[in-house]
Amino acid sequence: MDPFSDALVAISVSTELIEEELRPHLDTLLSALQEKQEGAARQIADSGILPSLAHILRRTNLKLKAILIVSELAGDASARGRCVEAGVGTALLSLLISTDQDLLLHTCRAIGRICYDNSLLQDQLIRNGAVPSLAAILQKYSQNEALVSACLFALCGLADMSEEDSSGLTWEELSRVSQGELAYRGAHRHPFGFSSKVTVVRLNQRSGNQHSVTVEVVHRCSRALWGAYVAQRTGRRFRPAPFEACPQFHRIIKFGVRNIPKTQSLKSRVFHTFL
C-alpha cells in the first residue's frame, strides 16, 4: 500500500499502537490534506477513522496533530458532516480548558470550521458549554491576537454568522463603552473595494459571573454602488445614501446554564453564559 493508505489502516487500529508509532501516520494524513491531495478528505471521511480521531483528541498527547487534521477536514464540505456524526465536534470542547495557547488557537479554528452551516452541531456545542469557555479565553488571553481572532471566529460559527474561512477577516478591539464589556470588529473588504462586510462581537458582563455575547453582521456599500442599485431598482436617480445605508443583519445568540427555551426567531438568539 502507499503511505496514505497505510496510515489510514494504522490509525483505524490506533488502540493497538503506542503514540510514537501513531505520530508518523498522522503526519502523513496532515501533509496530504495541507497539500490539497485530490480526494484525501473524502478518503479519510470514508475510511472509518474519524471515531479514532475523536479518541485521540480526548485521550492522547497527539491532540495538536489531530486538531490540525480535523481543521483541514472541516474545510471540506463533504467531510465536515462525517466529522460531526463521529463526535469529533464535541471532542474539541474538552480542549478549551487547556492552558496551551497554541492548542487553543487551533481548537478554536477547528470549532469555527466544523460548525459552519450546521445548526444541530451549533446548538449541541452551545448546550455543552462552548460559549462560556470561549468567553473565558477572550478575557484571559486578550493580548494574543491570533488566539483572539480564532476565538471570535468560533463564536461567529456558533452564531451561524461566519464564513468557512476567516483568513481574510481582520479583527480590532473597540473602545470599551462600559466596564465589563469587550467588543471586537472584524472587517472583510470586497476585493474591488465597492462593498465590505463588518462583523461585531460584543461580550458584556452582567450581574455576578453572567455574560452575554452578541454577534452582528453589517453589509456596507459605497455611495456609488448604493446609488447605482437604487437607480436600477426604481429607474430614477436619487442622491446616494450614506456609506452605512445598506441592509444590516443582526443576530443575538441566547444560551443559559438552565433550561432556557430557545427562541424560534431566525433573526435573534442570545448567549447567556456563566464563567
Side-chain angles (χ1 to χ4, degrees):
M1 293 185 291
D2 62 274
F4 184 82
S5 299
D6 186 48
L8 291 177
V9 173
I11 295 173
S12 67
V13 293
S14 58
T15 54
E16 301 174 15
L17 299 177
I18 62 175
E19 290 182 4
E20 289 308 310
E21 292 175 325
L22 189 56
R23 189 185 304 274
H25 298 303
L26 293 175
D27 286 335
T28 298
L29 299 191
L30 182 59
S31 295
L33 291 169
Q34 291 177 335
E35 294 169 5
K36 308 299 181 185
Q37 180 177 314
E38 185 177 358
R42 183 178 292 276
Q43 289 181 61
I44 293 173
D46 291 342
S47 68
I49 70 163
L50 295 180
S52 296
L53 282 179
H55 173 82
I56 293 169
L57 287 171
R58 290 188 174 99
R59 301 181 181 275
T60 75
N61 293 320
L62 299 174
K63 295 181 178 68
L64 182 56
K65 289 187 181 297
I67 291 169
L68 292 171
I69 291 173
V70 169
S71 186
E72 293 292 333
L73 287 172
D76 184 281
S78 64
R80 188 184 303 126
R82 303 290 290 277
C83 289
V84 173
E85 293 169 5
V88 173
T90 52
L92 292 169
L93 286 183
S94 62
L95 304 176
L96 292 178
I97 61 173
S98 173
T99 57
D100 184 332
Q101 294 184 47
D102 195 38
L103 188 69
L104 289 173
L105 169 68
H106 294 293
T107 300
C108 289
R109 285 177 177 170
I111 289 174
R113 283 185 170 186
I114 201 170
C115 67
Y116 173 76
D117 198 28
N118 190 315
S119 59
L120 291 178
L121 180 62
Q122 291 160 10
D123 289 343
Q124 185 180 20
L125 295 182
I126 290 170
R127 290 186 178 279
N128 283 313
V131 176
S133 297
L134 292 169
I137 292 170
L138 274 178
Q139 293 179 312
K140 186 175 182 179
Y141 303 107
S142 59
Q143 302 304 312
N144 186 331
E145 293 184 7
L147 179 52
V148 166
S149 296
C151 191
L152 292 169
F153 174 53
L155 284 171
C156 290
L158 291 171
D160 199 19
M161 304 273 282
S162 71
E163 301 177 356
E164 286 185 274
D165 185 8
S166 66
S167 61
L169 199 62
T170 302
W171 292 94
E172 63 174 331
E173 185 174 359
L174 302 176
S175 300
R176 300 188 183 189
V177 177
S178 60
Q179 187 176 6
E181 180 188 62
L182 289 175
Y184 298 89
R185 178 174 60 199
H188 194 149
R189 187 165 297 279
H190 191 280
F192 299 105
F194 292 131
S195 65
S196 63
K197 183 171 74 172
V198 177
T199 302
V200 178
V201 178
R202 292 186 179 89
L203 172 66
N204 291 284
Q205 184 173 4
R206 300 182 181 275
S207 59
N209 290 325
Q210 187 179 9
H211 292 69
S212 68
V213 178
T214 304
V215 180
E216 180 180 13
V217 175
V218 182
H219 288 270
R220 302 165 61 188
C221 59
S222 68
R223 291 174 179 269
L225 184 62
W226 180 256
Y229 169 77
V230 171
Q232 181 182 19
R233 295 281 294 181
T234 64
R236 299 169 57 188
R237 294 186 63 84
F238 289 93
R239 181 180 177 183
F243 187 74
E244 293 82 8
C246 288
Q248 296 187 16
F249 299 89
H250 185 85
R251 190 175 190 186
I252 303 174
I253 309 161
K254 191 171 194 173
F255 174 72
V257 294
R258 297 180 180 179
N259 293 324
I260 300 175
K262 294 186 300 179
T263 175
Q264 297 302 311
S265 171
L266 295 177
K267 293 185 178 179
S268 67
R269 297 169 62 196
V270 177
F271 287 138
H272 287 302
T273 68
F274 290 86
L275 304 184

